[in-house]
Amino acid sequence: MNQKKVLLKRTILFLFLLFSDKTFSAGINIDGNFSVSYFKDSSNQLKIDDVFSNPHFTYSETKNLDFGITESTTWISVDLKKTEENLVLCIENAHLDHIEIYLFSGNKFIQKQISGDLVPFKNRYSDNPFFNFLIEKGTDKIFIKVKTNGVSSIPIRLYSNKEYFNNYQSYQRFHWIYFGLVLLTILSNILFLIWLKESIYFYYILCVLSIGIINAVDFEYTFQFLWPNNPAFNKYNIAYYGSYIFIIFFTDKLLSVKKNLPKIYPVFLFFYLIIIATVVFALLDKYNLALKISLYISPLVPIICLFSGILIYIKKRTGVVKFFIIGWTAYFICMFIYVITVMGLLPFSVLSSNLIPLGSSIEIIFLNLAILSKINTLKQEK
């Protein structure tokens, strides 16, 4: 019971650190001072001269552009007031393969910049996992060319230099807290595993490690810190989502799904097979196939875990299942708010952009509480 109180105190402290940070907002950017239009090039052959005066650009009411999985090249036209200071353009999606931007002042070409996760990390204006570009003063029109094999989600932000770096510091602060929590949880449970010799701790370590890996890949810290000069490795990023198998495996062992839900257990076996197949396709360079499978499977993983927990809780109202359900419910709430934010129904901020790691942080802590209840139950049974 004392261990549970300690973990709850850690949860409260963690949330206090998040919400007490006054810099946890998107800052004052200049979103209201520029407009965005887009054009889909299905031929993938057009150059900047071809699109400069293209009348077929479609005005977008949102700056969070999302075209799903497409084989076409996306051209985006950004019109803004002529800048009197340098700005930073940021695209808040770390998984776009190739990006080119063209700066114009009037009709005069100023500069071309290239980035993307198939381009060395050093090409970016600053060491930010999100793609960022320096917009020189005097610029009044920007063309952005995006070609990617993944999801063409292109959220566009413009900041002054000061606002951009303040914003990025807030991201960093949040992420250091988050990954610190992940590391602390792994290390503490390694000690519990050595001390108590209960296999459930080993399954939980794999589960937390997989959650941390998935978020590290999503924010492209793997690229930034592990292989910044080898962007070709990013072609296999989708393989890391195979870590979901450890989340399902932990759920299976914690809830004793085979014993308590024998009719549901074949669904778990199906997920094991399909996730392994996704990893194999990714390693064989079948990126699009692996991505499509992952996009369908990934949202179903938390659903099947939570659904199994609810069914077992109806049968056995134990502390193990209660904490398990609370953890996954917190994750679902954060994921739902994040989705409607991406859809443009809520304003973007550092906090809203990080709701997935926030939800997984709460989930990690309550899963730890579930393990403590599991250990108490095992002791009583013995």
Side-chain angles (χ1 to χ4, degrees), residues 275-302:
I275 291 174
I276 292 172
T278 302
V279 174
V280 171
F281 288 137
L283 296 177
L284 293 176
D285 208 16
K286 305 291 184 180
Y287 183 87
N288 283 340
L289 178 59
L291 176 64
K292 288 177 181 178
I293 295 175
S294 181
L295 287 175
Y296 286 113
I297 292 299
S298 298
L300 295 178
V301 170

Side-chain angles (χ1 to χ4, degrees), residues 27 65 81 123 137 141 170 175 179 188 219 305 313 378:
L65 302 176
K81 297 177 181 178
N123 278 42
K137 64 180 180 180
K141 193 173 188 68
S170 297
H175 290 162
F179 288 111
S188 62
F219 287 101
C305 291
Y313 188 70
L378 291 175

Side-chain angles (χ1 to χ4, degrees), residues 137-148:
K137 64 180 180 180
T139 300
D140 59 10
K141 193 173 188 68
I142 305 168
F143 284 98
I144 306 172
K145 178 184 178 182
V146 178
K147 184 71 174 75
T148 186

